[in-house]
Amino acid sequence: MTNSDSLDDVPSPDDADRVLIGLEINMAGEKVEFKIKLPRGLATWDDLLPFMRTLIAVGSDISQEYFASRDKHVSCRAGCGICCRQRVPLAEFEAHRLRALIESMPEPRRTEVIARFRAAEQRIAELGDSISIGSDLALTMEEMSVRARKYFNLMIACPFLENESCSIYEERPLKCREYLVTSPAELCANPDSSAIVPLPLPLNVYMATLRLGNSPEDSTVRWVPLTSLMSWTDQHEPEQATRTGPELLHEFMNQLSQ
Ligand code: SF4
């Protein structure tokens, strides 16, 4: 549960185009202060991304400390990339951001990464829609789970996975940042195992991003499977900025408290 206990709009002395906003958020019983610099005028969700990442990092630290004191430690390590064969859902703005990241890569890396995406998409297309879990499909949680399992069984490595490590670690998606486990790493080879223990986080930042743009009564979620980001961004334009930084922050905090 999130409590946005205060929201102060303070002019930043060193940047007339930006505002410095102070937030105090209740994270697992701890009140944590954040200072966020945002465009005073029109902004995009990318402008809020550093804050979203910080929320996950702070929440993860709090949770890891709590469980470490009970002798439960995160077992995720560099070089262990089995979870990078799961289908990773992206918020729509993340899909556009990652596309831009790919396009900015030097050659021949850009071409190699795009080829990996196209190969993954081709393999998924060959199986028809039996494993599709795109948010445009009306599926029950059970159906989603079955399809996610089928997808995992294909062992399609994330196109960003290199030598079993994330090659875009600093830019990895929110969902990847949130997923850590305290159970033995070898259990992750079977995602159905009830013995897998994900690290619980005080806030579900990633889920909030899937509802951005909804009206208050609309709980629909929208996402883009990471492996489909090339074709999805081919067909969808990035959202135009129509709201200010503080307005976007207000909406994000509302979704976070759902
Ligand atoms: S983006 Fe990185 S962390 Fe996320 S699934 Fe791909 S390789 Fe793994």
Side-chain angles (χ1 to χ4, degrees):
M1 175 66 188
T2 305
N3 289 324
S4 171
D5 294 318
S6 68
L7 181 63
D8 304 318
D9 186 341
V10 183
S12 169
D14 60 341
D15 190 345
D17 294 334
R18 298 175 86 81
V19 287
L20 191 63
I21 298 175
L23 277 181
E24 188 176 83
I25 297 177
N26 185 339
M27 299 180 90
E30 282 186 37
K31 286 192 173 177
V32 184
E33 289 185 4
F34 296 88
K35 294 253 186 276
I36 313 144
K37 217 180 219 187
L38 291 172
R40 187 182 298 280
L42 294 179
T44 67
W45 293 115
D46 274 1
D47 292 305
L48 262 81
L49 193 55
F51 174 52
M52 294 169 178
R53 290 172 173 174
T54 300
L55 279 181
I56 294 174
V58 172
S60 180
D61 285 350
I62 290 172
S63 192
Q64 287 189 57
E65 196 176 321
Y66 175 85
F67 283 98
S69 69
R70 284 151 182 80
D71 210 21
K72 293 190 192 314
H73 302 274
V74 166
S75 55
C76 305
R77 297 284 177 270
C80 174
I82 192 73
C83 62
C84 299
R85 272 95 180 161
Q86 298 196 38
R87 180 160 279 192
V88 176
L90 305 173
E92 293 178 345
F93 76 92
E94 283 190 294
H96 286 296
R97 184 181 176 89
L98 288 175
R99 177 64 186 266
L101 177 73
I102 293 167
E103 297 301 342
S104 71
M105 288 175 176
E107 293 291 4
R109 181 160 156 66
R110 172 184 164 278
T111 300
E112 289 165 2
V113 170
I114 290 176
R116 278 185 231 148
F117 270 98
R118 297 298 186 203
E121 288 193 277
Q122 176 69 29
R123 192 140 170 243
I124 293 164
E126 285 164 9
L127 288 152
D129 69 356
S130 65
I131 61 162
S132 173
I133 55 170
S135 57
D136 50 338
L137 296 171
L139 297 174
T140 63
M141 289 306 286
E142 195 177 340
E143 288 167 331
M144 290 273 289
S145 167
V146 169
R147 286 176 184 232
R149 175 62 204 229
K150 281 186 184 173
Y151 181 87
F152 181 78
N153 285 343
L154 295 174
M155 285 284 122
I156 298 174
C158 170
F160 292 123
L161 189 66
E162 293 175 0
N163 300 320
E164 295 303 306
S165 291
C166 182
S167 64
I168 57 157
Y169 191 76
E170 295 301 321
E171 282 293 328
R172 69 196 187 286
L174 297 171
K175 182 63 180 170
C176 303
R177 290 164 195 264
E178 286 191 353
Y179 191 72
L180 296 169
V181 299
T182 56
S183 42
E186 54 271 20
L187 293 177
C188 294
N190 176 9
D192 283 348
S193 170
S194 57
I196 295 176
V197 185
L199 181 76
L201 298 184
L203 304 173
N204 197 336
V205 174
Y206 136 81
M207 187 55 78
T209 66
L210 304 190
R211 294 191 296 259
L212 294 175
N214 285 3
S215 58
E217 60 286 348
D218 182 3
S219 59
T220 313
V221 292
R222 288 173 304 283
W223 72 85
V224 181
L226 185 148
T227 37
S228 305
L229 84 83
M230 292 300 296
S231 54
W232 189 85
T233 51
D234 280 344
Q235 295 160 15
H236 296 82
E237 290 293 322
E239 195 178 313
Q240 294 301 308
T242 57
R243 288 180 285 171
T244 65
E247 286 171 339
L248 291 184
L249 177 62
H250 192 256
E251 179 185 344
F252 172 65
M253 295 308 295
N254 277 343
Q255 294 295 359
L256 197 57
S257 63
Q258 295 296 310

PDB file of all heavy atoms in Angstrom, residues 207-208 210-222 251 254-255 258:
ATOM      1  N   MET A 207       3.350  -2.854 -12.365  1.00  0.00           N
ATOM      2  CA  MET A 207       1.922  -3.009 -12.637  1.00  0.00           C
ATOM      3  C   MET A 207       1.250  -1.643 -12.792  1.00  0.00           C
ATOM      4  O   MET A 207       0.366  -1.464 -13.632  1.00  0.00           O
ATOM      5  CB  MET A 207       1.258  -3.811 -11.511  1.00  0.00           C
ATOM      6  CG  MET A 207      -0.184  -4.165 -11.767  1.00  0.00           C
ATOM      7  SD  MET A 207      -0.424  -5.058 -13.320  1.00  0.00           S
ATOM      8  CE  MET A 207       0.105  -6.707 -12.870  1.00  0.00           C
ATOM      9  N   ALA A 208       1.692  -0.667 -12.005  1.00  0.00           N
ATOM     10  CA  ALA A 208       1.125   0.685 -12.128  1.00  0.00           C
ATOM     11  C   ALA A 208       1.381   1.253 -13.523  1.00  0.00           C
ATOM     12  O   ALA A 208       0.530   1.931 -14.102  1.00  0.00           O
ATOM     13  CB  ALA A 208       1.716   1.603 -11.062  1.00  0.00           C
ATOM     14  N   LEU A 210       1.447  -0.305 -16.272  1.00  0.00           N
ATOM     15  CA  LEU A 210       0.597  -0.928 -17.293  1.00  0.00           C
ATOM     16  C   LEU A 210      -0.792  -0.294 -17.345  1.00  0.00           C
ATOM     17  O   LEU A 210      -1.554  -0.555 -18.265  1.00  0.00           O
ATOM     18  CB  LEU A 210       0.456  -2.433 -17.045  1.00  0.00           C
ATOM     19  CG  LEU A 210       1.735  -3.260 -16.955  1.00  0.00           C
ATOM     20  CD1 LEU A 210       1.411  -4.744 -16.961  1.00  0.00           C
ATOM     21  CD2 LEU A 210       2.703  -2.931 -18.082  1.00  0.00           C
ATOM     22  N   ARG A 211      -1.112   0.507 -16.323  1.00  0.00           N
ATOM     23  CA  ARG A 211      -2.442   1.154 -16.293  1.00  0.00           C
ATOM     24  C   ARG A 211      -2.359   2.639 -16.607  1.00  0.00           C
ATOM     25  O   ARG A 211      -3.375   3.330 -16.557  1.00  0.00           O
ATOM     26  CB  ARG A 211      -3.084   0.964 -14.914  1.00  0.00           C
ATOM     27  CG  ARG A 211      -3.441  -0.476 -14.562  1.00  0.00           C
ATOM     28  CD  ARG A 211      -4.307  -0.520 -13.312  1.00  0.00           C
ATOM     29  NE  ARG A 211      -3.576  -0.013 -12.170  1.00  0.00           N
ATOM     30  CZ  ARG A 211      -3.009  -0.773 -11.238  1.00  0.00           C
ATOM     31  NH1 ARG A 211      -3.106  -2.074 -11.297  1.00  0.00           N
ATOM     32  NH2 ARG A 211      -2.359  -0.226 -10.230  1.00  0.00           N
ATOM     33  N   LEU A 212      -1.181   3.136 -16.928  1.00  0.00           N
ATOM     34  CA  LEU A 212      -1.038   4.574 -17.172  1.00  0.00           C
ATOM     35  C   LEU A 212      -1.909   4.992 -18.352  1.00  0.00           C
ATOM     36  O   LEU A 212      -1.948   4.308 -19.378  1.00  0.00           O
ATOM     37  CB  LEU A 212       0.423   4.925 -17.453  1.00  0.00           C
ATOM     38  CG  LEU A 212       1.377   4.726 -16.271  1.00  0.00           C
ATOM     39  CD1 LEU A 212       2.815   4.981 -16.706  1.00  0.00           C
ATOM     40  CD2 LEU A 212       0.999   5.607 -15.099  1.00  0.00           C
ATOM     41  N   GLY A 213      -2.589   6.099 -18.211  1.00  0.00           N
ATOM     42  CA  GLY A 213      -3.466   6.583 -19.277  1.00  0.00           C
ATOM     43  C   GLY A 213      -4.905   6.152 -19.094  1.00  0.00           C
ATOM     44  O   GLY A 213      -5.790   6.621 -19.806  1.00  0.00           O
ATOM     45  N   ASN A 214      -5.167   5.265 -18.119  1.00  0.00           N
ATOM     46  CA  ASN A 214      -6.548   4.827 -17.875  1.00  0.00           C
ATOM     47  C   ASN A 214      -7.350   5.912 -17.167  1.00  0.00           C
ATOM     48  O   ASN A 214      -6.793   6.721 -16.421  1.00  0.00           O
ATOM     49  CB  ASN A 214      -6.561   3.592 -16.958  1.00  0.00           C
ATOM     50  CG  ASN A 214      -6.134   2.336 -17.688  1.00  0.00           C
ATOM     51  OD1 ASN A 214      -5.773   2.392 -18.855  1.00  0.00           O
ATOM     52  ND2 ASN A 214      -6.178   1.215 -16.997  1.00  0.00           N
ATOM     53  N   SER A 215      -8.661   5.887 -17.371  1.00  0.00           N
ATOM     54  CA  SER A 215      -9.539   6.709 -16.539  1.00  0.00           C
ATOM     55  C   SER A 215      -9.596   6.051 -15.155  1.00  0.00           C
ATOM     56  O   SER A 215      -9.272   4.862 -15.017  1.00  0.00           O
ATOM     57  CB  SER A 215     -10.928   6.790 -17.164  1.00  0.00           C
ATOM     58  OG  SER A 215     -11.452   5.496 -17.315  1.00  0.00           O
ATOM     59  N   PRO A 216     -10.018   6.790 -14.104  1.00  0.00           N
ATOM     60  CA  PRO A 216      -9.948   6.256 -12.729  1.00  0.00           C
ATOM     61  C   PRO A 216     -10.677   4.932 -12.551  1.00  0.00           C
ATOM     62  O   PRO A 216     -10.247   4.072 -11.773  1.00  0.00           O
ATOM     63  CB  PRO A 216     -10.609   7.362 -11.897  1.00  0.00           C
ATOM     64  CG  PRO A 216     -10.435   8.598 -12.695  1.00  0.00           C
ATOM     65  CD  PRO A 216     -10.464   8.188 -14.136  1.00  0.00           C
ATOM     66  N   GLU A 217     -11.797   4.738 -13.283  1.00  0.00           N
ATOM     67  CA  GLU A 217     -12.577   3.498 -13.069  1.00  0.00           C
ATOM     68  C   GLU A 217     -12.112   2.339 -13.960  1.00  0.00           C
ATOM     69  O   GLU A 217     -12.619   1.223 -13.870  1.00  0.00           O
ATOM     70  CB  GLU A 217     -14.083   3.744 -13.261  1.00  0.00           C
ATOM     71  CG  GLU A 217     -14.546   4.250 -14.607  1.00  0.00           C
ATOM     72  CD  GLU A 217     -14.212   5.721 -14.857  1.00  0.00           C
ATOM     73  OE1 GLU A 217     -13.817   6.433 -13.897  1.00  0.00           O
ATOM     74  OE2 GLU A 217     -14.343   6.156 -16.008  1.00  0.00           O
ATOM     75  N   ASP A 218     -11.122   2.598 -14.808  1.00  0.00           N
ATOM     76  CA  ASP A 218     -10.672   1.588 -15.771  1.00  0.00           C
ATOM     77  C   ASP A 218      -9.425   0.874 -15.241  1.00  0.00           C
ATOM     78  O   ASP A 218      -8.394   1.503 -15.019  1.00  0.00           O
ATOM     79  CB  ASP A 218     -10.344   2.285 -17.110  1.00  0.00           C
ATOM     80  CG  ASP A 218      -9.907   1.302 -18.177  1.00  0.00           C
ATOM     81  OD1 ASP A 218      -9.910   0.090 -17.907  1.00  0.00           O
ATOM     82  OD2 ASP A 218      -9.571   1.759 -19.295  1.00  0.00           O
ATOM     83  N   SER A 219      -9.547  -0.434 -14.995  1.00  0.00           N
ATOM     84  CA  SER A 219      -8.387  -1.171 -14.457  1.00  0.00           C
ATOM     85  C   SER A 219      -7.691  -2.004 -15.537  1.00  0.00           C
ATOM     86  O   SER A 219      -6.883  -2.883 -15.241  1.00  0.00           O
ATOM     87  CB  SER A 219      -8.829  -2.078 -13.306  1.00  0.00           C
ATOM     88  OG  SER A 219      -9.801  -2.991 -13.788  1.00  0.00           O
ATOM     89  N   THR A 220      -8.025  -1.740 -16.813  1.00  0.00           N
ATOM     90  CA  THR A 220      -7.381  -2.461 -17.911  1.00  0.00           C
ATOM     91  C   THR A 220      -5.863  -2.282 -17.844  1.00  0.00           C
ATOM     92  O   THR A 220      -5.379  -1.211 -17.481  1.00  0.00           O
ATOM     93  CB  THR A 220      -7.849  -1.878 -19.265  1.00  0.00           C
ATOM     94  OG1 THR A 220      -9.242  -1.751 -19.224  1.00  0.00           O
ATOM     95  CG2 THR A 220      -7.428  -2.761 -20.422  1.00  0.00           C
ATOM     96  N   VAL A 221      -5.143  -3.345 -18.185  1.00  0.00           N
ATOM     97  CA  VAL A 221      -3.689  -3.198 -18.288  1.00  0.00           C
ATOM     98  C   VAL A 221      -3.273  -3.401 -19.741  1.00  0.00           C
ATOM     99  O   VAL A 221      -3.884  -4.169 -20.467  1.00  0.00           O
ATOM    100  CB  VAL A 221      -2.936  -4.198 -17.372  1.00  0.00           C
ATOM    101  CG1 VAL A 221      -3.157  -3.878 -15.915  1.00  0.00           C
ATOM    102  CG2 VAL A 221      -3.333  -5.637 -17.678  1.00  0.00           C
ATOM    103  N   ARG A 222      -2.262  -2.676 -20.153  1.00  0.00           N
ATOM    104  CA  ARG A 222      -1.738  -2.792 -21.525  1.00  0.00           C
ATOM    105  C   ARG A 222      -0.243  -3.058 -21.439  1.00  0.00           C
ATOM    106  O   ARG A 222       0.439  -2.409 -20.641  1.00  0.00           O
ATOM    107  CB  ARG A 222      -1.960  -1.478 -22.302  1.00  0.00           C
ATOM    108  CG  ARG A 222      -3.372  -1.185 -22.687  1.00  0.00           C
ATOM    109  CD  ARG A 222      -3.490   0.207 -23.294  1.00  0.00           C
ATOM    110  NE  ARG A 222      -2.978   1.218 -22.376  1.00  0.00           N
ATOM    111  CZ  ARG A 222      -3.657   1.658 -21.316  1.00  0.00           C
ATOM    112  NH1 ARG A 222      -4.867   1.210 -21.086  1.00  0.00           N
ATOM    113  NH2 ARG A 222      -3.129   2.542 -20.511  1.00  0.00           N
ATOM    114  N   GLU A 251      -0.742  11.257 -11.821  1.00  0.00           N
ATOM    115  CA  GLU A 251      -1.412  10.055 -12.322  1.00  0.00           C
ATOM    116  C   GLU A 251      -0.659   8.790 -11.913  1.00  0.00           C
ATOM    117  O   GLU A 251      -1.261   7.797 -11.486  1.00  0.00           O
ATOM    118  CB  GLU A 251      -1.553  10.071 -13.845  1.00  0.00           C
ATOM    119  CG  GLU A 251      -2.243   8.774 -14.251  1.00  0.00           C
ATOM    120  CD  GLU A 251      -2.371   8.524 -15.733  1.00  0.00           C
ATOM    121  OE1 GLU A 251      -2.198   9.463 -16.515  1.00  0.00           O
ATOM    122  OE2 GLU A 251      -2.655   7.371 -16.080  1.00  0.00           O
ATOM    123  N   ASN A 254      -1.360   7.933  -8.392  1.00  0.00           N
ATOM    124  CA  ASN A 254      -2.725   7.378  -8.261  1.00  0.00           C
ATOM    125  C   ASN A 254      -2.743   5.908  -8.658  1.00  0.00           C
ATOM    126  O   ASN A 254      -3.333   5.077  -7.974  1.00  0.00           O
ATOM    127  CB  ASN A 254      -3.712   8.152  -9.149  1.00  0.00           C
ATOM    128  CG  ASN A 254      -4.206   9.406  -8.463  1.00  0.00           C
ATOM    129  OD1 ASN A 254      -4.071   9.538  -7.264  1.00  0.00           O
ATOM    130  ND2 ASN A 254      -4.767  10.309  -9.240  1.00  0.00           N
ATOM    131  N   GLN A 255      -2.096   5.577  -9.786  1.00  0.00           N
ATOM    132  CA  GLN A 255      -2.083   4.178 -10.228  1.00  0.00           C
ATOM    133  C   GLN A 255      -1.302   3.310  -9.233  1.00  0.00           C
ATOM    134  O   GLN A 255      -1.666   2.162  -8.983  1.00  0.00           O
ATOM    135  CB  GLN A 255      -1.465   4.055 -11.623  1.00  0.00           C
ATOM    136  CG  GLN A 255      -2.259   4.714 -12.729  1.00  0.00           C
ATOM    137  CD  GLN A 255      -3.626   4.068 -12.958  1.00  0.00           C
ATOM    138  OE1 GLN A 255      -3.993   3.101 -12.311  1.00  0.00           O
ATOM    139  NE2 GLN A 255      -4.404   4.645 -13.862  1.00  0.00           N
ATOM    140  N   GLN A 258      -3.345   2.035  -6.356  1.00  0.00           N
ATOM    141  CA  GLN A 258      -4.510   1.172  -6.614  1.00  0.00           C
ATOM    142  C   GLN A 258      -4.345  -0.154  -5.899  1.00  0.00           C
ATOM    143  O   GLN A 258      -3.270  -0.719  -5.922  1.00  0.00           O
ATOM    144  CB  GLN A 258      -4.653   0.909  -8.117  1.00  0.00           C
ATOM    145  CG  GLN A 258      -4.961   2.135  -8.927  1.00  0.00           C
ATOM    146  CD  GLN A 258      -6.309   2.745  -8.589  1.00  0.00           C
ATOM    147  OE1 GLN A 258      -7.291   2.023  -8.556  1.00  0.00           O
ATOM    148  NE2 GLN A 258      -6.350   4.021  -8.367  1.00  0.00           N
TER     149      GLN A 258
END
